Amino acid sequence: MSLGVQVAKADEMDKWFRDFKQTASPTQLYAFLWALPKGGDLHNHLSGAGYSEWWYDIATDQTRNGGYQYYTKVKINQCLGYGANEYGAGRQLLLFKTIQASTYRGLTRCQQQEYKKMEALSEDEKQGFLNSIRLDKDYEGRNEFFEAHWSRLNELPANPHVIAYILLKNMQAFGNEGLQYLETQVGVRGKLKADGSRYTPEEALAILTTMLDSEEAQATGVTVKFQYTVLRFAPSAEDDLRWVYGFIDRHRDSYVGINFAGREDNDKGYPLRFLPVLRELRNQYPAIPLAIHAGEVDEPNRHVRDTLLLGAQRIGHGLNTITDPDTLLLMRHGPYLIEINLISNHLLEYTEDYSNHPFGEYLRTDIPVALSTDDRGMWDSTMTDEYYIAVNEFNLSWQELISLGENSLKHSFLPETDKQQALATYRQRLAEFTRAIINNHTDMATDMPAKRQFICRYQPDLCHQG
């Protein structure tokens, strides 16, 4: 197709989309965005990306979870002798903490009576478990998320067979809504066998890569690469980073980058803590890309600038970059990208309202941005939900909309040849979609209950419009 024809098609689609937004019902807009080809999800925590139902399904299916039996806590007995030996102070009072059979066998009789086999839960108990690992109440926010959700999952993510299943389910779900690339954060240290002993990191990684090579995974059409995450405020974070560098260097076919995660309001994880060790490691290893959480905090600070000084190519969240004019200027026109997580930032109370989010300012001052899902299982959301909010709240033009997918692939950590192929595939899919829209040949039907569930939650006043 000649450049002139491409420009004409782009202009025609821009007008079509402008008119469509003015007349479409909520479900029509959602259906369009569901069908829209999407690039990549660059900010995805795999252990936070599993829907509650997926966790329950794999926990109770020993034919797929490696033969593990799981128990979850359904009552509090106030047993004598509770303390730091069981998961740390205070965590003994948390319902729906999940453990595997090898751990259960090590509990006292009193403690065992607090737990139930996952498959033996009553309907009310099962619903309680499902609700316990997603933010489904107005009064729940970041403390519930950071302090309780992960503690409840507990030993489920320590099983690499379980994580491989969560990975497959994500690939299938993302493939259904048109995503072509997933760059997810997943670790392989400390994984537990059914008897409580540990897998080597290589054994755990092999279980994940076997899943990626399976027919089920290949059928999704989604390409997956991994990032390794370092918990930024851990006392051992520097040594952890040294280990991660060496591991990724040995497994560059699977791992493409490193991330630092953890609450930024814990000052022990301040960015410049890691500058000396990163300089040490860059003298020892070929370059490993960095995509680091920064600016996911309430107060103005210079964490984003300091994170760029660490060598980060991408900033996760970047909310408070808006408070640092010098860094804003530095980020205009690239080469750095901000990974935008609209739903996460709202549910964790970093933005009071979507209209307060700086996404529009970044987008329209030429700071590269892409939408991502963060811990989507705990929000019970999809990439299409992120797109729907972006279009609805920020009145995106067609060119702005498709730039999000383009940016996600341009700023991915794929090897250059693979990146160019991914971009070519995305542009081809988008061209076919655009032609079908203009020629009125696109079937945008999607699962109506799923669409209505999100629209009614996000726009209850418009729910009746269909």
Side-chain angles (χ1 to χ4, degrees):
M1 184 184 298
S2 69
L3 179 60
V5 173
Q6 290 178 8
V7 171
K9 288 288 186 183
D11 289 345
E12 189 174 353
M13 191 63 198
D14 197 59
K15 181 180 184 305
W16 181 93
F17 186 59
R18 186 169 59 249
D19 294 341
F20 174 71
K21 287 186 298 178
Q22 295 174 356
T23 60
S25 71
T27 48
Q28 287 172 331
L29 176 59
Y30 194 95
F32 172 82
L33 294 171
W34 179 277
L36 176 75
K38 302 171 186 69
D41 187 349
L42 302 181
H43 189 114
N44 176 286
H45 299 267
L46 188 55
S47 58
Y51 296 135
S52 298
E53 290 77 9
W54 297 350
W55 288 112
Y56 180 83
D57 288 346
I58 190 62
T60 56
D61 185 356
Q62 294 188 37
T63 66
R64 297 201 68 165
N65 72 18
Y68 292 60
Q69 174 71 65
Y70 286 98
Y71 296 76
T72 195
K73 183 177 286 191
V74 295
K75 62 180 178 178
I76 306 294
N77 283 345
Q78 299 287 4
C79 301
L80 294 175
Y82 258 133
N85 288 337
E86 197 203 358
Y87 322 128
R91 292 292 173 246
Q92 68 271 23
L93 301 179
L94 193 65
L95 289 174
F96 302 111
K97 177 182 284 293
T98 303
I99 60 175
Q100 62 185 48
S102 62
T103 300
Y104 175 83
R105 289 192 292 269
L107 300 180
T108 68
R109 178 63 178 162
C110 176
Q111 293 165 350
Q112 287 180 347
Q113 290 174 348
E114 297 179 319
Y115 286 85
K116 221 177 191 184
K117 288 183 179 179
M118 294 285 286
E119 61 270 28
L121 298 180
S122 69
E123 281 304 311
D124 285 346
E125 289 167 338
K126 177 182 174 182
Q127 194 60 50
F129 169 81
L130 297 176
N131 290 342
S132 76
I133 49 177
R134 55 190 170 208
L135 288 179
D136 63 331
K137 304 290 190 302
D138 290 340
Y139 55 81
E140 293 176 333
R142 76 181 71 160
N143 288 333
E144 174 74 9
F145 169 72
F146 284 115
E147 305 300 331
H149 281 189
W150 308 101
S151 295
R152 289 186 179 115
L153 286 175
N154 196 35
E155 290 183 340
L156 272 173
N159 179 347
H161 298 283
V162 168
I163 287 296
Y165 177 82
I166 297 297
L167 175 60
L168 174 64
K169 295 296 286 185
N170 268 280
M171 294 173 70
Q172 291 171 333
F174 275 133
N176 287 339
E177 59 173 323
L179 196 85
Q180 72 180 64
Y181 177 63
L182 173 62
E183 199 170 289
T184 188
Q185 298 168 45
V186 58
V188 290
R189 278 209 294 183
K191 300 304 181 187
L192 297 176
K193 297 181 180 179
D195 63 4
S197 62
R198 294 197 172 190
Y199 289 95
T200 67
E202 283 73 18
E203 288 173 334
L205 179 58
I207 291 169
L208 295 177
T209 55
T210 297
M211 178 60 82
L212 288 178
D213 292 336
S214 70
E215 289 185 10
E216 289 176 294
Q218 293 292 311
T220 67
V222 178
T223 299
V224 174
K225 293 295 182 182
F226 300 144
Q227 296 177 25
Y228 212 111
T229 303
V230 173
L231 187 61
R232 66 194 309 147
F233 53 73
S236 61
E238 287 85 355
D239 288 337
D240 294 341
L241 183 56
R242 291 185 179 96
W243 182 89
V244 167
Y245 247 82
F247 184 80
I248 290 181
D249 188 55
R250 297 192 301 274
H251 299 284
R252 289 177 183 260
D253 52 339
S254 299
Y255 279 89
V256 294
I258 295 174
N259 212 309
F260 298 161
R263 296 184 68 156
E264 285 186 70
D265 53 13
N266 183 331
D267 291 337
K268 292 180 180 178
Y270 67 98
L272 292 184
R273 168 183 174 179
F274 299 98
L275 188 56
V277 68
L278 281 167
R279 287 177 171 170
E280 166 198 320
L281 292 166
R282 281 193 281 259
N283 278 334
Q284 299 176 31
Y285 296 98
I288 296 176
L290 303 177
I292 300 177
H293 290 61
E296 188 189 16
V297 71
D298 295 309
E299 76 275 4
N301 60 34
R302 305 195 71 171
H303 281 185
V304 174
R305 180 207 61 177
D306 292 347
T307 300
L308 294 176
L309 184 59
L310 296 183
Q313 290 97 326
R314 299 201 314 251
I315 297 295
H317 298 284
L319 268 171
N320 75 356
T321 314
I322 196 77
T323 68
D324 184 354
D326 291 340
T327 304
L328 278 177
L329 286 172
L330 179 66
M331 298 186 74
R332 291 194 67 201
H333 312 296
Y336 314 109
L337 175 125
I338 297 180
E339 303 157 351
I340 298 292
N341 305 281
L342 294 169
I343 294 173
S344 170
N345 296 157
H346 182 57
L347 291 181
L348 298 186
E349 302 166 344
Y350 292 109
T351 53
E352 182 178 345
D353 186 83
Y354 288 116
S355 62
N356 302 132
H357 199 289
F359 165 64
E361 179 71 6
Y362 298 161
L363 175 70
R364 287 155 183 162
T365 57
D366 296 314
I367 295 174
V369 290
L371 296 176
S372 47
T373 62
D374 203 10
D375 297 281
R376 78 198 202 103
M378 296 179 179
W379 326 141
D380 198 19
S381 67
T382 68
M383 180 64 87
T384 302
D385 296 348
E386 299 283 345
Y387 271 70
Y388 183 84
I389 289 172
V391 171
N392 230 36
E393 295 287 342
F394 298 94
N395 191 26
L396 300 187
S397 70
W398 173 248
Q399 290 302 319
E400 289 172 337
L401 178 65
I402 65 175
S403 75
L404 301 173
E406 184 99 0
N407 283 342
S408 69
L409 297 174
K410 284 181 179 177
H411 293 268
S412 74
F413 292 157
L414 283 167
E416 191 58 34
T417 300
D418 294 345
K419 181 185 298 187
Q420 293 308 315
Q421 180 58 54
L423 281 164
T425 299
Y426 173 72
R427 290 162 182 161
Q428 178 62 33
R429 293 171 63 225
L430 197 60
E432 293 171 357
F433 177 78
T434 300
R435 282 196 298 272
I437 289 291
I438 291 174
N439 295 326
N440 198 29
H441 292 157
T442 295
D443 178 10
M444 294 185 295
T446 68
D447 178 54
M448 293 298 290
K451 289 191 297 182
R452 291 194 62 80
Q453 180 183 19
F454 173 73
I455 293 167
C456 292
R457 184 176 63 193
Y458 166 63
Q459 295 177 294
D461 56 326
L462 299 179
C463 184
H464 67 281
Q465 292 186 19

